Amino acid sequence: MSDYDRFKLGGVEYPVDDSPFVGALARLDPILSAALAFYKAMLETHLGAYFAAMVTATGTPNLSSAIVAEVVGYDPSPYLQESQYKFPMLAMYRTEEDVADHTVNWYKATCKYTLLYVLPPLDAARANQILPILRGVRSVIIDRTIQGYDPAYLSGVEVWAAPGVMSIGVTTVRYGTMPDVKGELLFPALELTITCEEREQNNPGLE
């Protein structure tokens, strides 16, 4: 049964090719890699111009005029300091997975991701002016996740098709703050939980 010496899940074929070398996020977690690129582009498309005007109007020195100044594919909370990142920061990472039979012959993995959109520490006056942007970010992420494409992004490509996503959607939204590693500063943040189902894909040896 040499046909079964390979398998494919979540857009990743195993054994994983090492040549040409591709960075670990894109090679081993193409769903997360695709989501980060898609969300960054969608925030720039739908909120970028407004955000830049808002930063200029409020004169906030520690806030980039780009709506996403840095993107990371891991939990930034253990490293969170104003000097470590550029803000606003977009972060997304896996938090847990459940594996179950999908049919008699196929299994699926249901994964929960946390998405964070983090602003730098703000004084009270600037917080009053800037924090409403979090609701705008929430709206863009929810809608584009459901749609799975945008005419302005890669000619309308279906973002979730290639990595083997069965379903994906935002399930919870939270607004609040994150403390820095010393517990001295608070970073305003939006937190979304995204649930994604990945199905075992066709065995590469049988395609």
Side-chain angles (χ1 to χ4, degrees):
M1 301 294 287
S2 60
D3 290 339
Y4 289 89
D5 61 350
R6 291 181 285 164
F7 66 95
K8 190 173 183 180
L9 177 66
V12 182
E13 184 177 328
Y14 297 84
V16 177
D17 288 338
D18 60 351
S19 180
F21 179 78
V22 176
L25 183 61
R27 177 67 86 190
L28 298 177
D29 201 340
I31 295 175
L32 179 55
S33 180
L36 284 168
F38 182 50
Y39 292 148
K40 179 178 184 290
M42 291 302 91
L43 292 174
E44 291 168 345
T45 297
H46 296 285
L47 283 172
Y50 179 82
F51 185 85
M54 182 184 68
V55 171
T56 299
T58 58
T60 308
N62 58 347
L63 190 60
S64 168
S65 61
I67 190 164
V68 178
E70 185 160 355
V71 177
V72 299
Y74 58 87
D75 181 0
S77 57
Y79 319 100
L80 191 57
Q81 299 180 65
E82 219 171 348
S83 60
Q84 282 276 51
Y85 298 105
K86 299 174 184 176
F87 297 92
M89 174 176 58
L90 178 67
M92 185 173 171
Y93 52 94
R94 292 176 182 258
T95 55
E96 60 180 277
E97 295 186 14
D98 294 316
V99 179
D101 289 336
H102 178 55
T103 67
V104 173
N105 297 317
W106 299 93
Y107 65 87
K108 66 180 179 181
T110 302
C111 177
K112 288 186 178 179
Y113 294 87
T114 294
L115 183 146
L116 299 172
Y117 183 78
V118 187
L119 298 170
L122 302 170
D123 59 34
R126 288 193 173 98
N128 189 52
Q129 296 172 300
I130 292 171
L131 291 187
I133 199 67
L134 297 180
R135 188 173 187 280
V137 171
R138 161 260 189 205
S139 297
V140 172
I141 298 299
I142 288 176
D143 185 83
R144 295 297 89 173
T145 300
I146 294 170
Q147 295 298 328
Y149 75 96
D150 187 284
Y153 185 69
L154 301 179
S155 302
V157 66
E158 294 185 7
V159 176
W160 311 128
V165 172
M166 289 177 57
S167 66
I168 187 168
V170 176
T171 52
T172 59
V173 179
R174 297 182 181 88
Y175 301 86
T177 57
M178 297 175 62
D180 72 347
V181 292
K182 297 180 180 179
E184 297 173 351
L185 297 173
L186 292 175
F187 294 73
L190 170 72
E191 178 183 314
L192 286 77
T193 300
I194 298 174
T195 300
C196 173
E197 288 185 311
E198 308 168 7
R199 196 198 72 164
E200 178 192 13
Q201 295 169 274
N202 287 339
N203 187 303
L206 302 177
E207 291 180 339

PDB file of all heavy atoms in Angstrom, residues 96-108:
ATOM      1  N   GLU A  96      -6.391  25.739  19.935  1.00  0.00           N
ATOM      2  CA  GLU A  96      -6.749  24.352  20.245  1.00  0.00           C
ATOM      3  C   GLU A  96      -7.360  23.689  19.019  1.00  0.00           C
ATOM      4  O   GLU A  96      -7.829  24.370  18.094  1.00  0.00           O
ATOM      5  CB  GLU A  96      -7.731  24.282  21.421  1.00  0.00           C
ATOM      6  CG  GLU A  96      -9.045  25.001  21.194  1.00  0.00           C
ATOM      7  CD  GLU A  96      -9.964  24.894  22.409  1.00  0.00           C
ATOM      8  OE1 GLU A  96     -10.659  23.861  22.531  1.00  0.00           O
ATOM      9  OE2 GLU A  96      -9.982  25.832  23.212  1.00  0.00           O
ATOM     10  N   GLU A  97      -7.357  22.353  19.020  1.00  0.00           N
ATOM     11  CA  GLU A  97      -7.915  21.587  17.914  1.00  0.00           C
ATOM     12  C   GLU A  97      -8.644  20.354  18.443  1.00  0.00           C
ATOM     13  O   GLU A  97      -8.239  19.760  19.445  1.00  0.00           O
ATOM     14  CB  GLU A  97      -6.812  21.132  16.945  1.00  0.00           C
ATOM     15  CG  GLU A  97      -6.103  22.249  16.225  1.00  0.00           C
ATOM     16  CD  GLU A  97      -5.128  21.734  15.168  1.00  0.00           C
ATOM     17  OE1 GLU A  97      -5.208  20.546  14.820  1.00  0.00           O
ATOM     18  OE2 GLU A  97      -4.300  22.521  14.708  1.00  0.00           O
ATOM     19  N   ASP A  98      -9.713  19.993  17.739  1.00  0.00           N
ATOM     20  CA  ASP A  98     -10.414  18.733  17.982  1.00  0.00           C
ATOM     21  C   ASP A  98     -10.368  17.932  16.692  1.00  0.00           C
ATOM     22  O   ASP A  98     -10.622  18.475  15.607  1.00  0.00           O
ATOM     23  CB  ASP A  98     -11.871  18.974  18.385  1.00  0.00           C
ATOM     24  CG  ASP A  98     -11.995  19.663  19.735  1.00  0.00           C
ATOM     25  OD1 ASP A  98     -11.278  19.258  20.662  1.00  0.00           O
ATOM     26  OD2 ASP A  98     -12.800  20.605  19.846  1.00  0.00           O
ATOM     27  N   VAL A  99     -10.075  16.653  16.800  1.00  0.00           N
ATOM     28  CA  VAL A  99     -10.005  15.780  15.626  1.00  0.00           C
ATOM     29  C   VAL A  99     -11.117  14.749  15.740  1.00  0.00           C
ATOM     30  O   VAL A  99     -11.302  14.127  16.789  1.00  0.00           O
ATOM     31  CB  VAL A  99      -8.632  15.090  15.519  1.00  0.00           C
ATOM     32  CG1 VAL A  99      -8.588  14.174  14.304  1.00  0.00           C
ATOM     33  CG2 VAL A  99      -7.519  16.126  15.450  1.00  0.00           C
ATOM     34  N   ALA A 100     -11.876  14.578  14.643  1.00  0.00           N
ATOM     35  CA  ALA A 100     -13.002  13.639  14.659  1.00  0.00           C
ATOM     36  C   ALA A 100     -13.190  13.055  13.271  1.00  0.00           C
ATOM     37  O   ALA A 100     -12.704  13.585  12.277  1.00  0.00           O
ATOM     38  CB  ALA A 100     -14.276  14.350  15.113  1.00  0.00           C
ATOM     39  N   ASP A 101     -13.931  11.934  13.206  1.00  0.00           N
ATOM     40  CA  ASP A 101     -14.279  11.357  11.913  1.00  0.00           C
ATOM     41  C   ASP A 101     -15.238  12.288  11.179  1.00  0.00           C
ATOM     42  O   ASP A 101     -16.193  12.813  11.768  1.00  0.00           O
ATOM     43  CB  ASP A 101     -14.943   9.992  12.092  1.00  0.00           C
ATOM     44  CG  ASP A 101     -13.966   8.926  12.555  1.00  0.00           C
ATOM     45  OD1 ASP A 101     -12.758   9.094  12.310  1.00  0.00           O
ATOM     46  OD2 ASP A 101     -14.409   7.953  13.192  1.00  0.00           O
ATOM     47  N   HIS A 102     -14.980  12.481   9.911  1.00  0.00           N
ATOM     48  CA  HIS A 102     -15.891  13.256   9.070  1.00  0.00           C
ATOM     49  C   HIS A 102     -16.854  12.304   8.357  1.00  0.00           C
ATOM     50  O   HIS A 102     -18.057  12.528   8.329  1.00  0.00           O
ATOM     51  CB  HIS A 102     -15.095  14.085   8.053  1.00  0.00           C
ATOM     52  CG  HIS A 102     -15.939  14.873   7.112  1.00  0.00           C
ATOM     53  ND1 HIS A 102     -16.897  15.767   7.531  1.00  0.00           N
ATOM     54  CD2 HIS A 102     -15.980  14.878   5.747  1.00  0.00           C
ATOM     55  CE1 HIS A 102     -17.488  16.302   6.472  1.00  0.00           C
ATOM     56  NE2 HIS A 102     -16.956  15.776   5.386  1.00  0.00           N
ATOM     57  N   THR A 103     -16.307  11.266   7.805  1.00  0.00           N
ATOM     58  CA  THR A 103     -17.091  10.148   7.260  1.00  0.00           C
ATOM     59  C   THR A 103     -16.364   8.878   7.687  1.00  0.00           C
ATOM     60  O   THR A 103     -15.385   8.927   8.434  1.00  0.00           O
ATOM     61  CB  THR A 103     -17.188  10.207   5.720  1.00  0.00           C
ATOM     62  OG1 THR A 103     -15.868   9.984   5.178  1.00  0.00           O
ATOM     63  CG2 THR A 103     -17.706  11.562   5.246  1.00  0.00           C
ATOM     64  N   VAL A 104     -16.812   7.742   7.184  1.00  0.00           N
ATOM     65  CA  VAL A 104     -16.137   6.484   7.503  1.00  0.00           C
ATOM     66  C   VAL A 104     -14.679   6.516   7.056  1.00  0.00           C
ATOM     67  O   VAL A 104     -13.784   5.984   7.720  1.00  0.00           O
ATOM     68  CB  VAL A 104     -16.876   5.296   6.843  1.00  0.00           C
ATOM     69  CG1 VAL A 104     -16.090   4.002   7.037  1.00  0.00           C
ATOM     70  CG2 VAL A 104     -18.273   5.157   7.426  1.00  0.00           C
ATOM     71  N   ASN A 105     -14.420   7.183   5.921  1.00  0.00           N
ATOM     72  CA  ASN A 105     -13.082   7.158   5.329  1.00  0.00           C
ATOM     73  C   ASN A 105     -12.275   8.444   5.533  1.00  0.00           C
ATOM     74  O   ASN A 105     -11.089   8.472   5.202  1.00  0.00           O
ATOM     75  CB  ASN A 105     -13.198   6.884   3.823  1.00  0.00           C
ATOM     76  CG  ASN A 105     -13.789   5.525   3.531  1.00  0.00           C
ATOM     77  OD1 ASN A 105     -13.441   4.545   4.173  1.00  0.00           O
ATOM     78  ND2 ASN A 105     -14.705   5.465   2.583  1.00  0.00           N
ATOM     79  N   TRP A 106     -12.913   9.497   6.025  1.00  0.00           N
ATOM     80  CA  TRP A 106     -12.238  10.785   6.123  1.00  0.00           C
ATOM     81  C   TRP A 106     -12.348  11.334   7.543  1.00  0.00           C
ATOM     82  O   TRP A 106     -13.352  11.137   8.221  1.00  0.00           O
ATOM     83  CB  TRP A 106     -12.877  11.800   5.167  1.00  0.00           C
ATOM     84  CG  TRP A 106     -12.812  11.423   3.716  1.00  0.00           C
ATOM     85  CD1 TRP A 106     -13.766  10.756   2.998  1.00  0.00           C
ATOM     86  CD2 TRP A 106     -11.752  11.680   2.811  1.00  0.00           C
ATOM     87  NE1 TRP A 106     -13.362  10.591   1.706  1.00  0.00           N
ATOM     88  CE2 TRP A 106     -12.128  11.149   1.549  1.00  0.00           C
ATOM     89  CE3 TRP A 106     -10.519  12.331   2.927  1.00  0.00           C
ATOM     90  CZ2 TRP A 106     -11.320  11.227   0.425  1.00  0.00           C
ATOM     91  CZ3 TRP A 106      -9.719  12.422   1.796  1.00  0.00           C
ATOM     92  CH2 TRP A 106     -10.115  11.871   0.575  1.00  0.00           C
ATOM     93  N   TYR A 107     -11.315  12.028   7.974  1.00  0.00           N
ATOM     94  CA  TYR A 107     -11.381  12.703   9.266  1.00  0.00           C
ATOM     95  C   TYR A 107     -11.242  14.200   9.054  1.00  0.00           C
ATOM     96  O   TYR A 107     -10.882  14.672   7.974  1.00  0.00           O
ATOM     97  CB  TYR A 107     -10.290  12.202  10.218  1.00  0.00           C
ATOM     98  CG  TYR A 107      -8.868  12.499   9.806  1.00  0.00           C
ATOM     99  CD1 TYR A 107      -8.255  13.699  10.149  1.00  0.00           C
ATOM    100  CD2 TYR A 107      -8.123  11.572   9.071  1.00  0.00           C
ATOM    101  CE1 TYR A 107      -6.943  13.984   9.776  1.00  0.00           C
ATOM    102  CE2 TYR A 107      -6.826  11.840   8.693  1.00  0.00           C
ATOM    103  CZ  TYR A 107      -6.238  13.045   9.044  1.00  0.00           C
ATOM    104  OH  TYR A 107      -4.948  13.318   8.672  1.00  0.00           O
ATOM    105  N   LYS A 108     -11.560  14.952  10.078  1.00  0.00           N
ATOM    106  CA  LYS A 108     -11.440  16.402  10.001  1.00  0.00           C
ATOM    107  C   LYS A 108     -10.887  16.929  11.317  1.00  0.00           C
ATOM    108  O   LYS A 108     -11.018  16.299  12.373  1.00  0.00           O
ATOM    109  CB  LYS A 108     -12.786  17.058   9.702  1.00  0.00           C
ATOM    110  CG  LYS A 108     -13.821  16.901  10.809  1.00  0.00           C
ATOM    111  CD  LYS A 108     -15.134  17.584  10.446  1.00  0.00           C
ATOM    112  CE  LYS A 108     -16.162  17.404  11.556  1.00  0.00           C
ATOM    113  NZ  LYS A 108     -17.461  18.048  11.221  1.00  0.00           N
TER     114      LYS A 108
END
